[in-house]
Amino acid sequence: MNDNFKNSIKEPDCAPILTSLRLLLSAFLAVASSVFTARAEDNPSQSSSAELAKQTQNPVADVISVPIENYFYFNAGPNHATLYDLNIKPVIPFHLNEDWNLITRTIIPIINEPSLSLGSRSGFGLGDINPSFFLSPAKSSGFIWGVGPTFTLPTATDSLLGSGKFSMGPTAVALMDKGPWLFGALVYNQWSVTGWGKQNVNNMLIEPFANYNFGKGWHLSTAPLITANWEAEGSQQWTVPVGGGIGKLVRFGKLPADILVQAYSNVERPKYAPDWELRFQIQFLLPGFKKSPR
């Protein structure tokens, strides 16, 4: 690639968006900490680090939580580029009645994709938003489950960052809470229904997860995102990461948050897909917002 061509490719200026995110995070911490302090004083039992750590690990926990996940994908494409994906994933429960909860889980991705190959362009912006809804028994313990629909909305601000398709399908989660262990799996499959994208969507995700809690908020965790693109050729369908990491339940004032660092190697992957990834997550919990059913 000659110097003139390289100079013509400008990396996206992400500074304004990152500044806005920092301001939003600061405002969220200030408001949430003050509200949680008042709620926690009314219900001191909710301050248990062991209980709160397990709630961060349960995709259908009956608490409001806001995970902020940073994904770094290394050695992607012929250029061996590093991709960055920021996922904001608010989880909000609704008490339908004494027996059933509806758990909403929405993934809002902000993606930075540099040039992956000679002559390809880069992109930065909002990706496709993915809301999911789980109907889950309100009084389950030990074995916990939830089922419902999941959707992908074509909200990407750049064609590089999304499918250009509205997709939908079923999703389910099941887990066991046994002693220091919390383990289970989340799965979905989505098919494209309409949209302007050239490629149809038929994607599956399997997220097995296992957590061992040592007490005082410390835990070992693994949650590989195993994906299959059924529209691709057989040898290019699967991405299978293997790895894990360590986490700790901490507090900002009286606001609890779980900090988690993980690394994964993609032992099975399509050609030119990233060969390994690093994850850094901070998940804020608002247990005091539980609402009793009427």
Side-chain angles (χ1 to χ4, degrees):
M1 183 185 299
N2 61 54
D3 291 340
N4 290 334
F5 185 78
K6 285 194 291 186
N7 292 335
S8 68
I9 301 178
K10 296 181 179 180
E11 291 296 323
D13 181 10
C14 60
I17 295 180
L18 293 178
T19 299
S20 299
L21 287 173
R22 284 194 293 267
L23 291 173
L24 286 172
L25 179 57
S26 298
F28 169 79
L29 283 173
V31 174
S33 183
S34 62
V35 174
F36 177 78
T37 298
R39 298 281 183 164
E41 289 172 353
D42 293 336
N43 193 350
S45 65
Q46 292 188 7
S47 62
S48 165
S49 293
E51 178 189 352
L52 294 176
K54 280 195 172 184
Q55 288 175 347
T56 68
Q57 301 155 15
N58 179 356
V60 288
D62 188 16
V63 294
I64 295 177
S65 67
V66 185
I68 300 174
E69 301 175 344
N70 298 271
Y71 293 80
F72 298 88
Y73 300 97
F74 298 97
N75 299 323
N79 284 354
H80 303 288
T82 299
L83 287 71
Y84 172 67
D85 186 357
L86 169 66
N87 282 349
I88 303 171
K89 298 170 62 173
V91 178
I92 303 175
F94 295 91
H95 291 227
L96 302 180
N97 53 45
E98 293 184 357
D99 297 319
W100 295 98
N101 292 335
L102 179 67
I103 313 296
T104 66
R105 182 172 181 261
T106 304
I107 301 175
I108 305 169
I110 298 172
I111 304 168
N112 180 40
E113 181 176 316
S115 173
L116 301 182
S117 61
L118 182 67
S120 68
R121 66 183 183 88
S122 60
F124 176 82
L126 179 67
D128 289 343
I129 295 176
N130 171 215
S132 299
F133 303 86
F134 297 90
L135 186 66
S136 180
K139 299 177 182 178
S140 58
S141 62
F143 177 70
I144 304 166
W145 59 272
V147 295
T150 184
F151 307 90
T152 293
L153 312 178
T155 55
T157 55
D158 188 305
S159 59
L160 283 178
L161 310 178
S163 65
K165 294 283 191 178
F166 172 77
S167 304
M168 61 186 300
T171 185
V173 62
L175 60 127
M176 289 290 297
D177 183 353
K178 188 174 181 64
W181 287 97
L182 189 144
F183 56 90
L186 182 150
V187 62
Y188 72 65
N189 202 100
Q190 291 196 54
W191 297 266
S192 54
V193 177
T194 187
W196 54 86
K198 295 181 180 180
Q199 301 295 326
N200 290 326
V201 173
N202 183 1
N203 293 336
M204 182 177 70
L205 178 140
I206 304 172
E207 183 182 359
F209 52 89
N211 303 271
Y212 185 85
N213 294 275
F214 294 98
K216 297 184 178 180
W218 287 99
H219 56 92
L220 294 176
S221 298
T222 182
L225 299 177
I226 302 170
T227 60
N229 176 9
W230 303 119
E231 293 292 320
E233 297 179 1
S235 62
Q236 305 296 304
Q237 290 180 344
W238 287 92
T239 300
V240 181
V242 173
I246 189 167
K248 176 72 166 67
L249 195 286
V250 299
R251 297 175 189 273
F252 296 90
K254 290 192 176 182
L255 176 68
D258 189 71
I259 296 177
L260 179 65
V261 178
Q262 298 177 312
Y264 293 87
S265 174
N266 290 327
V267 296
E268 179 72 23
R269 61 191 176 96
K271 186 177 181 180
Y272 295 132
D275 57 15
W276 74 284
E277 66 184 79
L278 182 66
R279 301 182 194 172
F280 173 76
Q281 172 183 306
I282 181 167
Q283 181 173 353
F284 299 98
L285 281 177
L286 303 176
F289 276 81
K290 281 190 178 183
K291 181 181 178 182
S292 299
R294 296 180 179 178

